[in-house]
Structures are given as structure tokens and as C-alpha cells.
């Protein structure tokens, strides 16, 4: 895949690292666009199809995957997630700076491909903060929270494979550090 004009930034972090909020802020304040990815998990309260995710039934996801529609895909917490190849390619072709927020398995697939990109890992200050954030979200069941905490340990270890790491201890500070590290330009 040629992406000579645009720029692809892959962002991962432990569940509860606040990476979605960070990416939203980057999109709001800097010249970059968020990639809407696909999932088979149920929408959370307030999530909109086509805005937060493209929500598919598992058979539809599998059909699209077989048709080669995803740049990468993975199973996360028992659901499929995948990056739509077409929307990434067309945005890069028109010169966009893209923020692709995906899990560490997906990021590894992109790292092992020929796709030119930079990757960034969002760290949490400590495990107690992660637990607090997951519970504070009040969207996930206790079993899901426990699953996410267990997974966070292995996700954090994966951070060593990324070009950049930023600790999300304070939203404003972390956004600023990311913008500097990735040379993002402020929106006018
Ligand atoms: P959530 O269900 O909390 O929105 O996301 C769960 C995890 O799936 C997060 O780590 C998120 O970064 C990841 N994710 C979202 N979209 C994709 C995708 O297209 N591919 C992969 N591999 N992971 C994704």
C-alpha cells in the first residue's frame, strides 16, 4: 500500500488508558483524523453506528474479512475488530494524517506489514488508576472489568514494541506531549 502523501499514526494502550479521549482531543485540536473501525461488539450507550464504530453482526464481519476489506483484524474481549482498508487508503491518498486506535494485536499486524506508519503506546500511571477508570466508566459489567484488567498486564508489556510511549496521567499534558513527539500541527 502506498501512502506517500498522507501519514498513518497507530495508537494503542491498555483498556482504560484513556486513549479514546486522547484521540478525540487530538482530532479536535490538531490536524489529524480519526479512523472509524469495525466491531461486532454491541454499541455502548451513546455510541453511534458509523461514527464511533461500524457495528456489524459476526457473519457480516466474517464475510467482509474474507473479501479482504480489513487492513488488520483481531478478536478483542471476545469480539471481532477490524480496520477498513478502503477508508485508510483513500484518506492517505488525499494527504490526511490518520489516527488509528487499535489493540496491540492489530498494531503488530500493521508493524509486520509494509505499511509505512508511526506507532504510539498510551501508558497508564499505575494499575490502581486503571481499575478506577474502568469502574468509573460504569458501562461494563464486573466480569468484563476483571477481564480487561487481566488483559491490561499483557497489553502494557507490548508497549516496548512501539516507537513512542506517553503516560496519560493528565489529559492536557499528555495531548501536548503527543503533539510534540509526533510533530502534529494545531488546527487554525
Ligand atoms: P472498545 O470495545 O473498548 O471500544 O475497544 C476495545 C479494544 O479494541 C481497544 O483496545 C481498541 O483500541 C481496539 N480496537 C478498536 N478498533 C479496532 C480495530 O479496528 N482493530 C483492532 N485490532 N483493535 C481495535
Amino acid at each position: 500500500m502506498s501512502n506517500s502523501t498522507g501519514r498513518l499514526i497507530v495508537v494503542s494502550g491498555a483498556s482504560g488508558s484513556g486513549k479514546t479521549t486522547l484521540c478525540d482531543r487530538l482530532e479536535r485540536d490538531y490536524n489529524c483524523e480519526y479512523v472509524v473501525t469495525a466491531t461486532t461488539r454491541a454499541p455502548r450507550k451513546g455510541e453511534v453506528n458509523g461514527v464511533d464504530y461500524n457495528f456489524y453482526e459476526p457473519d457480516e464481519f466474517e464475510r467482509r474479512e474474507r473479501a479482504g476489506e480489513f487492513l488488520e483484524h483481531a478478536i478483542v474481549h471476545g469480539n471481532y475488530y477490524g480496520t477498513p482498508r478502503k477508508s485508510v487508503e483513500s484518506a492517505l491518498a488525499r494527504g490526511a494524517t490518520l489516527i488509528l486506535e487499535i489493540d496491540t494485536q492489530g498494531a503488530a499486524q500493521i508493524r509486520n506489514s509494509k505499511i509505512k506508519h508511526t506507532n504510539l503506546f498510551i501508558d497508564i500511571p499505575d494499575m490502581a488508576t486503571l481499575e478506577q477508570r474502568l469502574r468509573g466508566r460504569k458501562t461494563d459489567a464486573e466480569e468484563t472489568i476483571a477481564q480487561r484488567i487481566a488483559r491490561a498486564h499483557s497489553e502494557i508489556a507490548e508497549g516496548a514494541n512501539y516507537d513512542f510511549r506517553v503516560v496519560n496521567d493528565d489529559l492536557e499534558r499528555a495531548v501536548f506531549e503527543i503533539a510534540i513527539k509526533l510533530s502534529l500541527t494545531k488546527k487554525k
Side-chain angles (χ1 to χ4, degrees):
M1 187 173 86
S2 153
N3 54 347
S4 51
T5 50
R7 191 172 161 213
L8 181 64
I9 300 167
V10 173
V11 181
S12 306
S15 166
S17 61
K19 58 190 183 300
T20 306
T21 313
L22 267 177
C23 292
D24 285 347
R25 284 299 291 270
L26 289 173
E27 185 177 50
R28 194 191 77 181
D29 297 343
Y30 292 86
N31 287 309
C32 57
E33 295 171 24
Y34 200 80
V35 180
V36 178
T37 61
T39 184
T40 56
R41 82 150 160 74
R44 295 195 184 113
K45 211 171 160 220
E47 283 184 331
V48 176
N49 191 23
V51 175
D52 298 284
Y53 279 105
N54 291 314
F55 293 100
Y56 297 137
E57 292 298 323
D59 54 352
E60 161 108 42
F61 189 101
E62 285 168 1
R63 187 187 61 71
R64 288 176 183 271
E65 194 278 310
R66 281 194 303 271
E69 287 189 23
F70 299 117
L71 207 55
E72 62 71 38
H73 72 284
I75 295 176
V76 185
H77 313 304
N79 295 297
Y80 284 125
Y81 289 81
T83 302
R85 184 186 299 277
K86 257 200 191 137
S87 55
V88 169
E89 286 179 350
S90 60
L92 289 175
R94 66 175 155 75
T97 295
L98 289 183
I99 302 277
L100 177 62
E101 191 230 295
I102 57 176
D103 89 314
T104 52
Q105 305 170 74
Q109 289 173 44
I110 303 240
R111 201 181 308 122
N112 294 330
S113 74
K114 291 206 167 69
I115 303 165
K116 196 173 148 215
H117 69 292
T118 305
N119 58 28
L120 165 74
F121 191 84
I122 310 297
D123 277 302
I124 43 160
D126 51 61
M127 286 314 266
T129 310
L130 170 68
E131 205 169 325
Q132 236 173 34
R133 284 182 188 168
L134 288 175
R135 288 188 201 288
R137 195 150 76 178
K138 294 196 168 70
T139 51
D140 298 319
E142 195 56 36
E143 194 192 320
T144 312
I145 292 175
Q147 246 178 33
R148 285 178 186 239
I149 289 168
R151 208 180 129 75
H153 286 280
S154 53
E155 284 174 332
I156 289 163
E158 277 284 313
N161 300 320
Y162 286 68
D163 302 322
F164 300 104
R165 292 181 87 151
V166 170
V167 180
N168 187 17
D169 47 1
D170 173 87
L171 181 66
E172 303 304 326
R173 196 208 61 75
V175 166
F176 189 64
E177 188 184 343
I178 293 170
I180 302 243
K181 282 192 162 147
L182 298 178
S183 311
L184 296 175
T185 56
K186 217 150 182 173
K187 266 193 181 132
K188 289 203 185 93

